[in-house]
């Protein structure tokens, strides 16, 4: 089993750690995808489909997981909000 990273798809999520404002850059050539953000308890706090979101504000310090669902794959990155 191989682990694929967001970078392999040209996806960038930054800064990390953050003060609550994060940018998500998904290349325009990726047409079908879903962005899901969960908190540490796995509670879904944000979800959008096929929306090239550029900036989000996460309130509350802690650890969050951003998952990008595409091509029958789920790519996940941990984000720390300070």
């Amino acid at each position: 089993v191989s682990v694929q990273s967001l970078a392999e798809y040209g996806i960038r999520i930054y800064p990390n750690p953050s003060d609550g404002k994060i940018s998500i850059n998904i290349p325009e050539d990726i047409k079908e995808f879903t962005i899901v953000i969960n908190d540490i308890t796995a509670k879904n706090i944000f979800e959008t489909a096929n929306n090239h979101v550029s900036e989000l504000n996460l309130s509350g310090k802690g650890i969050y997981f951003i998952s990008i669902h595409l091509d029958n794959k789920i790519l996940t990155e941990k984000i720390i909000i300070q």
Side-chain angles (χ1 to χ4, degrees), residues 41-54:
T41 66
K43 180 181 175 187
N44 185 339
I45 60 168
F46 178 83
E47 185 170 342
T48 187
N50 305 322
N51 180 7
H52 288 84
V53 177
S54 60

Side-chain angles (χ1 to χ4, degrees), residues 6-42:
L6 296 172
E8 290 180 56
Y9 288 90
I11 299 169
R12 293 185 56 225
I13 300 173
Y14 61 92
N16 189 18
S18 169
D19 64 359
K21 294 180 184 178
I22 59 167
S23 295
I24 301 173
N25 290 346
I26 297 178
E28 291 293 326
D29 62 335
I30 298 176
K31 302 293 184 200
E32 299 288 325
F33 63 92
T34 302
I35 299 171
V36 178
I37 301 177
N38 294 316
D39 67 11
I40 194 76
T41 66

